[in-house]
Amino acid sequence: IAFITSIASFSQKNDLVLGKELVAANRQTLRLSEEDLNNIIIKDSYFDRLAKVQMVYVQQSYLGLPVFNQLQVIAFKNGAVVSNAGGRIRKIETVAGSSTAVAYTAESAVTEALAAKKISGYGQLNGTLKGSKIDFGNLGVCSETVTAELMWLPLKEASEVHLVWQIRLVPNSRADYWMIRVDAMTNKVI
């Protein structure tokens, strides 16, 4: 099992590297500037045996943080683009802030999200960084771990882009699964 897991992990890593290389090699066809290319996150990449294409899922980033819902799904055949769906915010630097400094912490945002959903009786907020997310455990009130992730959120048809904490809540008492975005500068739920 460990051997198969290590092979799958190695294969996935190679697919992610291959995905980034294909995007870079086709940046002109994809109309990506050098700056655009430096601001992407390869979320997934795999070879579709039926269609015989390499599928690459690209998320836009800015200043090292993901941009909510700005995804491109690109199919490559023999190294060339055969399909490109989705999009990105062009010249994001003109509508987003120029810093990832936050006025409110992830803990503040989790507290605000819990209050917005009228969840009380939770334990102390002690977050642990796990990858790009801060994990708070289940806080004694959720069936899954509560997480916070810093990201950019486009608003008003991308004419504004706000820095937000995306909070994941799955309360014990309800059949709900919430992704709540709290403005990192005002600590208000968006």
Side-chain angles (χ1 to χ4, degrees):
I1 292 173
F3 177 71
I4 291 170
T5 304
S6 67
I7 288 175
S9 175
F10 180 74
S11 174
Q12 176 65 16
K13 184 176 181 182
N14 282 344
D15 276 339
L16 294 177
V17 170
L18 175 61
K20 186 144 189 166
E21 290 171 353
L22 285 168
V23 170
N26 288 276
R27 89 175 168 90
Q28 289 181 334
T29 302
L30 296 167
R31 296 184 6 212
L32 297 175
S33 68
E34 193 65 36
E35 184 70 20
D36 291 336
L37 195 57
N38 291 330
N39 284 295
I40 63 171
I41 300 167
I42 305 297
K43 295 300 279 183
D44 196 13
S45 178
Y46 63 89
F47 185 74
D48 183 319
R49 294 175 201 260
L50 184 62
K52 295 182 175 42
V53 295
Q54 183 74 28
M55 298 298 300
V56 181
Y57 295 80
V58 179
Q59 181 169 21
Q60 183 178 12
S61 66
Y62 176 61
L63 298 176
L65 297 174
V67 180
F68 178 77
N69 217 23
Q70 296 304 302
L71 303 167
Q72 288 177 273
V73 180
I74 309 166
F76 296 92
K77 192 168 203 162
N78 299 322
V81 176
V82 292
S83 175
N84 179 17
R88 57 190 305 107
I89 299 170
R90 299 283 174 200
K91 300 191 183 283
I92 191 170
E93 65 278 0
T94 63
V95 290
S98 59
S99 170
T100 59
V102 298
Y104 290 90
T105 64
E107 289 82 1
S108 296
V110 169
T111 300
E112 184 66 21
L114 289 163
K117 294 302 176 186
K118 298 178 175 48
I119 298 173
S120 60
Y122 51 88
Q124 187 174 2
L125 297 177
N126 291 319
T128 304
L129 186 61
K130 292 189 177 175
S132 64
K133 298 177 183 173
I134 300 172
D135 183 328
F136 291 93
N138 67 12
L139 300 176
V141 294
C142 290
S143 59
E144 296 184 23
T145 59
V146 175
T147 61
E149 180 178 17
L150 193 59
M151 64 177 54
W152 297 99
L153 177 67
L155 297 172
K156 299 180 182 177
E157 297 181 19
S159 65
E160 293 179 15
V161 179
H162 291 250
L163 192 57
V164 300
W165 289 105
Q166 179 168 272
I167 311 301
R168 178 176 167 265
L169 293 177
V170 185
N172 284 334
S173 60
R174 301 175 212 152
D176 293 320
Y177 184 116
W178 290 310
M179 299 300 272
I180 301 167
R181 285 166 284 285
V182 178
D183 192 299
M185 303 313 285
T186 66
N187 208 41
K188 301 292 181 211
V189 173
I190 297 180

